[in-house]
Amino acid sequence: MKKRRKVRPVPVPVQCPCGLPANYVDCCGRLHRGEAAATTAEQLMRSRFSAFAVGDEGYLLRSWDPSTRPADVDFDLGMRWERLEILGSTGGGPFHTEATVEFSAHYRSGGEAGNMHENSRFRRDGGAWVYLDGVVGD
């Protein structure tokens, strides 16, 4: 049985990690607490980035497509997610059933800055946007 790593408590940020000019409580925090649902695939992508930044495993799993969802999220305890850049998207609006969102997620690990580039796929499941999978690139 795989031993689960505990997520180090992350203080609730004032500014939302997703990159929008809003405070966390009123932006992605509403989605994390289940008070609102993502209305676009990009909004879901932003909220998932914020969930990684604050260590919200429950939200990440709830917003993951059931066909690709892992049993748990393997957080890297030495990594701090710092900034998200949305590079492009296709679909993902109120009348779409599928979408892609290309992004660059900036982090700090072991004192070193880095970034992860991914083109993520999303789909609707029971009317809600969910993360399906992604292709990590350079």
Side-chain angles (χ1 to χ4, degrees):
M1 179 176 191
K2 181 179 171 183
K3 184 177 179 181
R4 296 197 54 200
R5 289 190 270 176
K6 293 280 185 196
V7 177
R8 141 181 95 231
V10 177
V12 174
V14 173
Q15 181 68 34
C16 195
C18 80
L20 294 177
N23 66 56
Y24 169 76
V25 171
D26 296 330
C27 190
C28 291
R30 297 177 315 114
L31 280 71
H32 295 174
R33 293 186 308 271
E35 297 170 5
T39 57
T40 67
E42 181 179 322
Q43 186 182 28
L44 182 67
M45 176 64 245
R46 288 180 181 280
S47 70
R48 286 178 56 81
F49 174 83
S50 291
F52 273 104
V54 301
D56 190 339
E57 180 181 40
Y59 180 77
L60 289 166
L61 294 173
R62 286 191 309 277
S63 63
W64 212 309
D65 187 279
S67 70
T68 58
R69 179 187 309 136
D72 56 35
V73 177
D74 191 18
F75 289 100
D76 181 340
L77 300 180
M79 185 177 288
R80 288 280 189 205
W81 295 101
E82 297 185 329
R83 184 169 55 91
L84 177 68
E85 288 179 85
I86 301 295
L87 304 173
S89 63
T90 63
F95 303 109
H96 298 110
T97 57
E98 297 179 342
T100 63
V101 178
E102 181 182 7
F103 67 90
S104 183
H106 299 265
Y107 61 86
R108 187 160 293 281
S109 181
E112 300 289 321
N115 74 54
M116 180 188 82
H117 178 257
E118 181 173 316
N119 195 14
S120 296
R121 292 189 313 152
F122 298 86
R123 73 174 192 88
R124 288 198 187 262
D125 180 46
W129 284 110
V130 292
Y131 170 78
L132 182 60
D133 59 20
V135 176
V136 176
D138 295 326

